[in-house]
């Protein structure tokens, strides 16, 4: 019998990349050779791509958050749920945030930025990038504009000033962080020699227009100040600008802002309109966070010819009853997941429903009904374990 230590290197790599992340983290203790393999950025990329493309849709998870309350330091713990009963599992990673820290960006490939939310607490570093799979975190340099602002206004809360948006550029294989402070923008490439660069232009992102408050009242999680109506898709960070009726995007490769006009044929555009990632395509969803029996979705099929109105395809999903709805994401085989409630109130905890729709046929496939615990809500779908070491990105 051949010992696993005597396996050819290529065969060992094939075995290791099929293991769950938690098992791999323990396997680093087997030997220095295994440690070097698992910490190699090329292997981490291979493991992530295999999990994302070769496994069933069970490789992706709904990401949940627990909150202390909805109005101050809202998120306490982030964890991916099991796909069987949407519960917390010891086999999946979770992270609990400290008293003064909160996630301050969107989640991209299992990475999220974490910020010190009170400027008056100067004893700790202000900005970090966190790997939700390995729980490893790495400090990031402060944007020059934020550093100057903190000096001038030391008692201002971070949520009321800065907005951070994380993206991944597939061409350079680099993560980039966009910072917007009162309309002035800077970008940082994560990695060696990290320096902030000024960006010309302004995305024109509005305040949440009451959406943050509305989502809190309805029991939908507040994903950090300024992150309603944005999505990071295929090397671009998209924002809604409802005042000008456009979708602004930041091209991570060119580091420039551009925009997409929202066709006049899309009716009902309001602060209850969201921008979502629909399987790698930009989607405009009308009717979220309000009682509806039908959800209207417009998908931009070709983002290279985005000003052609014929590239927008409308989908209408009929719900079995009147629900308050939020879109969670799309599975690998084109199933759209909707998170629905019968009532907006958070005082009582009514059953919550996860409806799965086929985006091609528009038919409802399955329904999962669960009773949510108080102050627990889903953030988004498509969390895939990513073991990339932060010092290798």
């Amino acid at each position: 019998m051949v010992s696993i230590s005597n396996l050819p290197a290529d065969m060992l790599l094939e075995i290791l990349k099929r293991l769950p992340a938690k098992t791999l983290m323990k396997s680093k203790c087997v030997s220095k050779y295994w440690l070097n393999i698992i910490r190699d950025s090329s292997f981490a990329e291979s493991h992530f791509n295999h999990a994302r493309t070769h496994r069933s849709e069970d490789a992706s998870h709904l990401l949940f958050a627990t909150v202390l309350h909805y109005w101050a330091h809202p998120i306490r713990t982030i964890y991916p749920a099991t796909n069987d009963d949407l519960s917390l599992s010891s086999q999946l990673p979770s992270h609990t945030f400290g008293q003064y820290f909160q996630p301050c960006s969107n989640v991209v490939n299992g990475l999220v930025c974490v910020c010190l939310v009170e400027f008056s607490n100067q004893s700790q570093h202000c900005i970090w990038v966190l790997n939700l799979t390995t729980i490893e975190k790495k400090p990031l340099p402060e944007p020059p504009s934020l550093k100057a602002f903190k000096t001038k206004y030391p008692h201002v809360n971070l949520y009321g000033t800065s907005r951070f948006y994380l993206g991944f550029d597939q061409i350079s294989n680099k993560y980039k962080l966009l910072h917007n402070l009162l309309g002035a923008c800077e970008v940082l490439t994560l990695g060696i020699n990290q320096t902030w660069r000024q960006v010309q232009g302004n995305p024109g992102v509005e305040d949440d227009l009451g959406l943050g408050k509305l989502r809190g009242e309805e029991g939908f999680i507040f994903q950090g100040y300024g992150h309603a109506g944005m999505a990071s898709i295929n090397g671009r960070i998209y924002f809604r600008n409802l005042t000008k009726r456009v979708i602004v995007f930041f091209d991570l490769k060119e580091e420039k802002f551009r925009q997409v006009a929202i066709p006049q044929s899309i009716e009902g555009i309001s602060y209850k309109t969201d921008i979502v990632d629909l399987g790698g395509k930009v989607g405009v969803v009308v009717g979220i966070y309000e009682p509806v029996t039908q959800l209207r979705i417009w998908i931009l099929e070709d983002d290279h010819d985005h000003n052609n109105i014929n590239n927008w395809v409308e989908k209408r999903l009929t719900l079995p009853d009147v629900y308050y709805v939020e879109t969670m994401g799309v599975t690998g085989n084109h199933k759209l997941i909707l998170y629905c409630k019968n009532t907006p109130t958070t005082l009582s905890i009514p059953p919550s429903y996860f409806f799965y729709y086929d985006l091609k046929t528009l038919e409802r496939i399955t329904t999962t009904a669960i009773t949510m615990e108080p102050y627990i809500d889903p953030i988004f779908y498509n969390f895939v374990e990513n073991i990339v070491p932060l010092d290798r990105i």
Side-chain angles (χ1 to χ4, degrees):
M1 181 179 293
V2 178
S3 170
I4 192 169
S5 60
N6 296 325
L7 288 175
D10 56 347
M11 186 177 296
L12 178 61
L13 289 174
E14 285 298 315
I15 294 173
L16 291 178
K17 77 178 184 181
R18 287 167 166 77
L19 296 178
K22 194 161 187 176
T23 303
L24 276 177
M25 294 302 100
K26 295 178 180 178
S27 300
K28 290 192 296 184
C29 301
V30 172
S31 67
K32 186 175 181 180
Y33 177 56
W34 280 37
L35 172 64
N36 291 334
I37 290 177
I38 296 170
R39 283 191 53 80
D40 182 75
S41 55
S42 297
F43 173 77
E45 182 180 356
S46 175
H47 181 269
F48 178 75
N49 289 333
H50 184 270
R52 186 176 54 182
T53 60
H54 287 78
R55 297 183 193 175
S56 68
E57 64 191 59
D58 290 337
S60 295
H61 300 273
L62 275 164
L63 198 62
F64 280 76
T66 63
V67 298
L68 295 177
H69 44 80
Y70 285 106
W71 309 117
H73 306 312
I75 297 180
R76 177 62 176 165
T77 301
I78 287 182
Y79 68 91
T82 63
N83 289 314
D84 295 328
D85 56 4
L86 302 180
S87 63
L88 179 64
S89 169
S90 60
Q91 297 304 310
L92 295 170
S94 64
H95 181 74
T96 299
F97 296 94
Q99 180 180 0
Y100 298 106
F101 285 89
Q102 281 290 282
C104 58
S105 78
N106 50 306
V107 180
V108 175
N109 294 344
L111 305 185
V112 66
C113 285
V114 178
C115 295
L116 184 69
V117 295
E118 293 184 0
F119 293 166
S120 56
N121 189 336
Q122 297 291 333
S123 61
Q124 302 187 64
H125 199 83
C126 184
I127 307 169
W128 303 73
V129 60
L130 168 69
N131 186 324
L132 290 170
T133 302
T134 63
I135 316 301
E136 179 189 7
K137 63 179 182 179
K138 174 184 177 181
L140 300 176
E142 289 185 36
S145 62
L146 178 59
K147 188 177 296 185
F149 191 88
K150 285 171 57 180
T151 302
K152 189 174 182 179
Y153 304 102
H155 300 292
V156 176
N157 189 296
L158 180 63
Y159 274 151
T161 56
S162 282
R163 301 172 186 177
F164 292 92
Y165 307 97
L166 188 60
F168 181 68
D169 179 14
Q170 298 97 323
I171 297 176
S172 63
N173 208 33
K174 290 292 185 180
Y175 292 89
K176 294 187 178 183
L177 184 63
L178 181 67
H179 174 235
N180 181 1
L181 175 63
L182 304 177
C185 295
E186 302 153 294
V187 65
L188 174 76
T189 301
L190 275 60
I192 303 175
N193 299 324
Q194 301 175 119
T195 56
W196 288 91
R197 303 175 296 280
Q198 287 190 342
V199 176
Q200 299 299 317
N202 187 323
V205 181
E206 325 102 320
D207 288 335
D208 282 335
L209 300 176
L211 186 57
K213 181 180 179 182
L214 180 68
R215 296 183 78 181
E217 290 173 350
E218 293 182 353
F220 291 113
I221 197 69
F222 184 75
Q223 296 186 58
Y225 185 84
H227 289 92
M230 66 80 56
S232 182
I233 309 170
N234 296 334
R236 294 175 174 178
I237 303 175
Y238 291 87
F239 314 88
R240 64 178 189 189
N241 186 325
L242 303 181
T243 304
K244 296 183 179 180
R245 200 180 171 88
V246 296
I247 299 172
V248 180
F249 66 85
F250 181 72
D251 189 298
L252 292 170
K253 179 178 180 295
E254 298 180 355
E255 297 188 355
K256 293 181 179 179
F257 287 106
R258 304 189 185 279
Q259 65 182 39
V260 179
I262 300 177
Q264 294 297 322
S265 57
I266 300 182
E267 301 176 349
I269 298 294
S270 71
Y271 68 91
K272 295 181 180 179
T273 299
D274 204 4
I275 304 296
V276 296
D277 179 358
L278 295 177
K281 297 180 180 179
V282 182
V284 175
V285 184
V286 177
I288 57 172
Y289 321 125
E290 62 180 347
V292 294
T293 57
Q294 189 178 70
L295 198 66
R296 293 171 292 155
I297 301 174
W298 280 263
I299 302 174
L300 182 59
E301 292 289 348
D302 184 2
D303 59 1
H304 295 289
D305 189 17
H306 44 69
N307 288 318
N308 184 347
I309 62 173
N310 294 322
N311 286 324
W312 290 89
V313 176
E314 181 183 6
K315 306 276 188 179
R316 297 200 176 202
L317 306 181
T318 301
L319 304 174
D321 203 342
V322 178
Y323 291 102
Y324 292 81
V325 182
E326 185 175 14
T327 55
M328 288 289 98
V330 176
T331 69
N333 54 358
H334 306 290
K335 294 179 184 177
L336 173 65
I337 305 177
L338 302 181
Y339 174 51
C340 305
K341 289 184 176 183
N342 295 105
T343 173
T345 181
T346 59
L347 297 178
S348 60
I349 309 298
S352 299
Y353 301 91
F354 290 90
F355 293 148
Y356 294 74
Y357 282 82
D358 188 315
L359 266 183
K360 294 182 178 179
T361 64
L362 306 183
E363 295 180 355
R364 181 160 55 94
I365 304 170
T366 58
T367 300
T368 301
I370 63 172
T371 300
M372 302 293 289
E373 296 294 328
Y375 304 121
I376 296 181
D377 273 302
I379 301 177
F380 82 112
Y381 175 81
N382 206 23
F383 172 81
V384 179
E385 293 180 326
N386 186 358
I387 64 169
V388 60
L390 296 181
D391 61 353
R392 306 293 175 88
I393 62 174

